[in-house]
Structures are given as structure tokens and as C-alpha cells.
Amino acid sequence: MITRFAPSPTGKLHAGHAYSALAAWRFARHFAGRFLLRIEDIDTQRCRPEFTELIETDLHWLGLDWEQPVLRQSEHLHEYQQAAHQLRERGLLYPCFCSRRDIQRELEGAGQSPQHNLPAVYPGTCRRLSESEQQDRIAAGEEYSLRLNLEYALQQLPAGLSWTDRVQGEQLIQPHLLGDVILVRRDIGCSYHLCVTVDDARQQITHIIRGQDLFESTHVHRILQALLGLPVPEYLHHPLITDHRGERLAKRLGSQSLQSVREQGISAAEFLLDADFTFPEF
Ligand code: GLU
């Protein structure tokens, strides 16, 4: 069994991250499996090397250990681009020239409001462009992202695809929750959904333990696994213990960064006692 913790170094870790990392690490320990750390640092605008360093220091302080070398996604961009290229060659991606504002305008025009807690589903504007319109706009130097052509993808796949959450049971894919997601961002040439799926397969992760906030994304990842011929891990989406700012509610230490807790001379044991985490049953 192989689990992983895959943070993005865009800020400091808080109690919610500690909980998630510990959940995955404990799972690996429990089954005498392996635990990996993966740094998801594709977003060059938001990720900073000092946060990566801090992540490792915080996790060591918590008492976690992991295998070396640590995979840093920024060192593997070429491989994600290869996966994207493969999908594009098969006609599964299309260029999208829309700005955020274009999309919002289109959605408002159609009287659509975003689903609760989920990003708005792309209205498909650029999916309807003809091949020659696409070529002309690309040739004119317009910037574009690449989106999954979901309807076409579903036609290529067997019906009834599913995945399993260890606690919540078998889940039939609900592809339309997130729609034609961006797989290649115009700024960085890849995306979270693509990179996480490629890496979980490359690192042979058998059990993905992560927060409930990524539950809907798993439907997208399952589709990508099917399209790219990748193995399907088992999932465990754990409850979230933080509010939208990443702050633990009602607990003394939980609202601070792990760095700040550490620097007050508080031990990991004291922190964990205060946090009083309840982990899912394995
Ligand atoms: N890198 C993602 C994040 O920090 C998590 C990826 C995952 O666990 O699938 O939110």
C-alpha cells in the first residue's frame, strides 16, 4: 500500500494540513505500507521554495517520515505536457480563448448560477468554434487554455465508470459536476487535475487520502485515468476540520500556522492533544 501527502507550497501549513498528512501517514503505517511526500508546485506565480522547506520542517516536527527523493512537480512539466499532447492528438481537448469575465458574462446571460460550493461549469463557448476559427485565433497569437471535451471523452469510455471511497463506498462518476475542466492552463502549460492524475499513477499510489473538498475532482481524475489507461487507486476523502481560511475553529492552537506553534516551543505531542483529531476508521 502506498499513500501520499501532496501539498502545494503556496503558504504555511495549518492544523488542517497536519490532519490530512497524519491521516495518510497513519494509514500507511497501519498497513505497513509506504508514505510519500509530493510537492505540487506547478503554479510558479503562487508557489515559493521557502514554503516547501517549511512544509518539510513542519512535517518532521509532527513526527512524520517519508521516502526520498521527494517528487517536485515543477521538475516534471515535460511529462504532464506529454500526457496533454496525447489527449489533444486524440481530439479530447479543445482550445479555449475565454477570459474569466467572458465566462461569467456568458453564464449570466444564460441565467445560470454556480452550484453550491463548486466552481461554475464552463458553458462550452469555445467547444462550438470551428476548426478554422480555432486555427485563425491561434495563428493571431491569442492566448488559450486547453479544456477536456467531456461529451466526446464520455463517448470513448465504457458506461458506468466508478471509483471507490473507502468510507463513502462506490461512486458512479458524475462527470457533469465540473464539466469541461481546464487541463492545460494558458499560464503554466498544465493543471492540477492533469498533474495529480499522472503522478498518482507514476508513483503507484494505491490509496489517496485527502480532504472532502476534493471529492468532486475525483470524478475528473477517474475519467482521466480511463482516458490515459492508468490504474485506479482507492480513495478516502476525510472530513475537513478547517473553515474557508484554513483556520481550525474553536481550538486554541488550530488557528495558527504550524510554524508559529513550533516557534512558541510547543511540542508536537502538546499540539496533537490540543487538536484532538479524530481520524477515519481504516
Ligand atoms: N495539491 C493539492 C492541494 O494542496 C492536493 C492534491 C491532492 O491531495 O490530490 O490542495
Side-chain angles (χ1 to χ4, degrees):
M1 282 186 172
I2 310 181
T3 69
R4 49 57 162 196
F5 177 54
S8 302
T10 54
K12 296 179 180 182
L13 299 189
H14 285 75
H17 301 104
Y19 177 81
S20 201
L22 275 162
W25 181 83
R26 286 167 43 106
F27 187 94
R29 273 291 162 103
H30 183 82
F31 293 105
R34 297 165 54 198
F35 173 73
L36 309 182
L37 172 66
R38 178 165 75 231
I39 301 295
E40 301 211 323
D41 56 352
I42 51 170
D43 191 333
T44 43
Q45 291 298 314
R46 295 176 60 227
C47 296
R48 301 224 306 261
E50 56 270 33
F51 289 136
T52 298
E53 239 172 79
L54 206 52
I55 287 171
E56 300 209 8
T57 309
D58 288 341
L59 296 180
H60 278 307
W61 170 77
L62 272 175
L64 271 57
D65 48 6
W66 53 90
E67 293 184 12
Q68 298 295 335
V70 170
L71 190 153
R72 288 169 194 244
Q73 289 189 325
S74 57
E75 294 169 4
H76 297 268
L77 298 180
H78 182 63
E79 289 140 65
Y80 311 128
Q81 280 149 13
Q82 268 179 343
H85 181 72
Q86 197 198 118
L87 296 173
R88 195 174 184 184
E89 289 281 285
R90 289 159 57 195
L92 292 158
L93 307 183
Y94 63 88
C96 173
F97 305 90
C98 295
S99 65
R100 247 178 230 174
R101 189 174 313 151
D102 293 334
I103 297 174
Q104 208 176 339
R105 227 181 279 137
E106 180 101 2
L107 288 171
E108 280 164 11
Q112 262 195 49
S113 49
Q115 306 157 81
H116 179 64
N117 268 343
L118 292 176
V121 170
Y122 179 63
T125 323
C126 287
R127 191 178 54 230
R128 295 184 281 270
L129 294 177
S130 69
E131 185 85 21
S132 67
E133 273 175 295
Q134 290 177 358
Q135 294 313 330
D136 289 349
R137 291 177 73 166
I138 292 173
E142 255 191 82
E143 292 202 328
Y144 60 95
S145 53
L146 292 172
R147 288 183 180 273
L148 176 67
N149 187 334
L150 182 63
E151 283 312 323
Y152 183 63
L154 292 173
Q155 286 166 24
Q156 316 293 308
L157 297 174
L161 278 185
S162 68
W163 52 276
T164 301
D165 183 286
R166 203 168 170 95
V167 172
Q168 299 169 73
E170 188 180 359
Q171 311 290 322
L172 215 52
I173 54 159
Q174 294 190 50
H176 299 285
L177 281 180
L178 297 183
D180 288 1
V181 288
I182 291 182
L183 292 185
V184 176
R185 278 167 47 173
R186 63 183 74 187
D187 54 347
I188 56 173
C190 53
S191 70
Y192 161 65
H193 292 307
L194 183 66
C195 300
V196 82
T197 307
V198 167
D199 281 343
D200 283 329
R202 179 223 309 266
Q203 297 191 290
Q204 299 176 302
I205 306 299
T206 59
H207 292 81
I208 296 181
I209 294 152
R210 62 183 177 196
Q212 184 68 21
D213 53 336
L214 290 168
F215 191 88
E216 288 79 16
S217 293
T218 302
H219 294 299
V220 176
H221 304 170
R222 179 67 187 90
I223 291 171
L224 290 177
Q225 286 152 6
L227 292 173
L228 292 166
L230 302 175
V232 184
E234 188 173 58
Y235 292 83
L236 195 169
H237 294 90
H238 59 67
L240 298 178
I241 60 156
T242 59
D243 71 7
H244 65 284
R245 287 189 303 272
E247 292 180 351
R248 180 104 196 262
L249 301 168
K251 289 280 177 178
R252 190 169 64 89
L253 299 174
S255 60
Q256 303 170 28
S257 70
L258 297 184
Q259 180 191 33
S260 142
V261 174
R262 258 194 301 116
E263 287 178 355
Q264 292 164 55
I266 293 162
S267 70
E270 284 171 292
F271 168 76
L272 291 172
L273 198 65
D274 178 80
D276 193 21
F277 291 145
T278 308
F279 291 101
E281 294 288 323
F282 301 142

